[in-house]
Structures are given as structure tokens and as C-alpha cells.
Amino acid sequence: MTTLPKISFIIPLFNHLAETEKMLTSLLTSLPVGLPHEIILVDDGSTDGTREWLKAIQDARIRVHLNERNLGYAATNNVGVGMASGELLCLLNNDLLFEPGWLEPMLAVLQTTELNVGVVGNVQYRVADGKLDHAGGQLNPNAQFGHIQTLYEDAPFYTKVLAVTGACLLLYKADFEAQGGFDERFINDCEDFDLCFKLRAAGKAVYVANTSRIRHHVSLSRDVNTLHNERNSRHLFSRWRTLIKQELAALWATLLQAGPQAYAELLSGQLCPEFVATPNTAARVIAEAMLLREEFRWARDLGEADPNVDVAKRCTAHGLSYMANMNGYAMTPNTEFSFSGLRSARNFYLCGRTTVEQAKQPIVITITVNGIQTQTVTLTTGRNVNVGIVDPILLQGLTNYFRVESHFVDEQGQSLGDASAAIFITYIIIDDQIVSAL
């Protein structure tokens, strides 16, 4: 091996002593011979004997720091980096297992000058079942982050990705410090993706070294699906919303260009041909709708004011006539519901009944949202009407329209004429709220 700069391995600890011991043993036995390095163990308030074990370590390669109180993952890593003397940083979790050969591919990618690398991650497999857990970070079409969990046999030596997990990453100390390290406003989640975005904003790139393979217990010291994780996600999205929307719009543009088979399972109903005829514009509209859906969900889940608390006041019905004897509203061929100031909604449902026996005369009801999205339902039995669309795509800053059309159809689904006079609406549901005064 050619002469390498010194590497500082930074490992935050919080309980799980048995796994820490196995990790450290596997790390020490897997490093290349002659590699200049130091290992910095920073304990973040363990209570399981970890601190006593650390005090007993007698190894010149290992330095120890005990936080006076629990600081969290981001701050604990920052403490370790502050102690580091190496030119390179390798940030590791204490629930990893290493074998010889894992580090060299990461070093090779980091030191490939023409790649302009900001940070390098690797491929990680679950200890429990051996399944692939991480081959980079990605944004899915529903505006949520996750791990790439597919790696093909003919994968190249490295892959450019959106982000990598902080469980195992390699970068220059100068780059870490230039970005202010980990943002300590994140609490045990999203610090790593935020760091990757900061490096990308600085003109650097993020890679996975595909031939670097390790094993990972996965979230051994962290809770999952907790409210603080939701707060972390919202902070990440708020900070990088423009970048995330760009990535999301690019993803949707690709899906739209591939055709309905690529995105059919991601949306309720179908997209109108006129809308997808300009895929880049359509992709930006969908991306904004997806982001707003997440932002509204966070507001609700975190106990904040419901963004749609007064949604009933924003509704205007068109083409309805109240029929006291039917205790409902008679529809017309021009029935439409409009909403002002509506930015996101979990659903839209039309609820009521019909005046004909459905077994004898099927009715098809079509709901069209803003000329963008349609949902078609065939009523074949019974007289109750409960049809709608989930997560409708809304237009921001404009009045949103839900047009309702209905037709009698024959056994082949061919239209036999308008059926609006056969339907009475009792109420609608918008964003899970009942609107009865139409």
C-alpha cells in the first residue's frame, strides 16, 4: 500500500458493551498493516459497564473520552472529531462487524481526484439475517428517504448517490469541519443526510464504494418511528426543501416519461393525458404535492394546529340542489366542488345514495381533480354511494376543483347516458372532515 494519510476512527458509544467489544476487535484485526491511524471512543453516558471497560483499556492506538452527560449522536461525533489528529475521518457506529478488505475500497474512491468526493459510504448487511440494508441513501416518489437495498452483481466499483448513512463513512477532516460538522439540532437521526447535503451544496459528490462490505446490527442504540425522528425529518426537509424538490421532480419526470405502468401504484386513480403531456411541468406539480403532504402530516403528528382546521369554510358546491324530501342534494351533470386556500388533503369522498337498484342499472362515477387526476368507480350493488380519491394532487395558490360526473352503463361498460339525477349527496369528506352544508 502506498503511503496514506492518518485516519481517525470516531466511534460514539451508548451502552451495548458486548457489541462494542466485538466491533472493536473486528476493526483492529481488519485494518491494513502499517495504516497510520487512531481510534477515538466517545462514551455518551452509558450505564451498562461501558465506562468501566473504557477506563481499563491500555492500547496506544485508542483514545477515550467520557461525556459528562448524554449529548446525542451528532454532538458526540463532533466531540470525537475535535480530538482527532488524522487528516481523514472514518465515522463508525459501535454495532458494526468488519472483515479485512472493507476499508481499502473506500480509501480508493475518496482519493480519486477526478471524482471530487465529499464523502464515501459502503455496502452494509444486517447481522440478524444477512440481508442488504444499505447501498446508499435515496428519495422515494412519496417524498420519503430510505436506503437503497438492491445491489447488482455487476455493480461498478463505486456509485454516485444522494446520501450515505453515518454508520460508516469516510471523508477528509477539513471537509467535515468546513461544513460545521454534524448539526446538533438533529437528535439521533438525519445528521448524516444533512452532512451529505451540505457537502453537495459545497460542490462535492457522495459515493458508495460497492466492494466495501460490512455487517451492521442496525439502529441498536436508537428508537425507530418516534416523534423525535419525525422532528428530525421535518428539520431536514425544511432546511433542504429546494434541493429535495429538485430531486423529487427529476424522479417523477422519469416515471411520467416511462408511462402509467411506472407510477400507477403510487397514485390514486389515473393522471389525465393532457397533464402528463408536459412531464417536467407535471413532475414539479406532483413533487410539490408530495412535499406538502409530508409537511401537513408532520404538523398533525407533532400536535400542532391542523392546517385544514377550517376546510369546510373554504368549500363551494356547484350544480347541487337541496331536496328536503330526500334529505340530500340532487346532482346535476355540472356538479363540482371548489376549495380556496387548500394546499393538501388526505382524501375527497362523495357520500350519499342512489334512487335506482344498482343490480339492474350500474352507474359509473368519475371524480376529476383540477383536470389532473381522475378516479372512476362503478356502483354495481346496493344504493349507498361512498366513492372518492386518496391524496389528490392539488394546485398551490389556486382554487382547486373536484368535478363529479356519472353515467349509466351497460354490461360492457358503455355509457347509456347521464345518471346524475339518480344520485343524492348527503355530505362530502375532504381531508377526513365531513362537510354537510353544501
Side-chain angles (χ1 to χ4, degrees), residues 152-311:
Y152 299 103
E153 291 184 3
D154 59 349
F157 185 67
Y158 55 81
T159 303
K160 192 174 184 179
V161 295
L162 182 67
V164 292
T165 175
C168 180
L169 57 81
L170 184 70
L171 76 168
Y172 286 95
K173 182 182 180 184
D175 285 337
F176 185 86
E177 292 179 331
Q179 303 310 320
F182 280 141
D183 185 340
E184 297 179 13
R185 288 172 291 181
F186 293 104
I187 307 298
N188 301 336
D189 191 32
C190 295
E191 308 94 336
D192 42 10
F193 275 48
D194 178 66
L195 175 65
C196 291
F197 291 161
K198 288 192 289 187
L199 288 165
R200 284 162 53 98
K204 301 279 188 174
V206 180
Y207 290 91
V208 166
N210 291 319
T211 59
S212 171
R213 314 287 176 88
I214 63 174
R215 290 182 291 157
H216 187 193
H217 282 285
V218 183
S219 300
L220 193 65
S221 299
R222 304 187 194 182
D223 295 327
V224 295
N225 299 324
T226 61
L227 287 181
H228 86 256
N229 287 341
E230 296 294 343
R231 294 188 184 94
N232 287 327
S233 294
R234 183 170 68 171
H235 178 48
L236 182 70
F237 272 70
S238 175
R239 183 170 187 173
W240 298 104
R241 196 183 196 280
T242 300
L243 170 63
I244 292 171
K245 184 176 178 179
Q246 290 173 350
E247 295 284 342
L248 190 58
L251 176 57
W252 269 103
T254 300
L255 291 171
L256 295 177
Q257 289 165 357
Q261 71 281 359
Y263 58 80
E265 296 183 359
L266 300 171
L267 297 170
S268 181
Q270 297 178 320
L271 296 179
C272 299
E274 297 81 5
F275 177 62
V276 297
T278 53
N280 290 329
T281 299
R284 290 193 293 271
V285 172
I286 296 174
E288 181 65 20
M290 294 295 181
L291 288 174
L292 281 168
R293 186 174 70 184
E294 286 295 286
E295 290 165 354
F296 274 45
R297 181 181 65 81
W298 286 320
R300 296 180 180 113
D301 290 351
L302 296 175
E304 299 171 359
D306 191 327
N308 283 337
V309 65
D310 61 346
V311 68

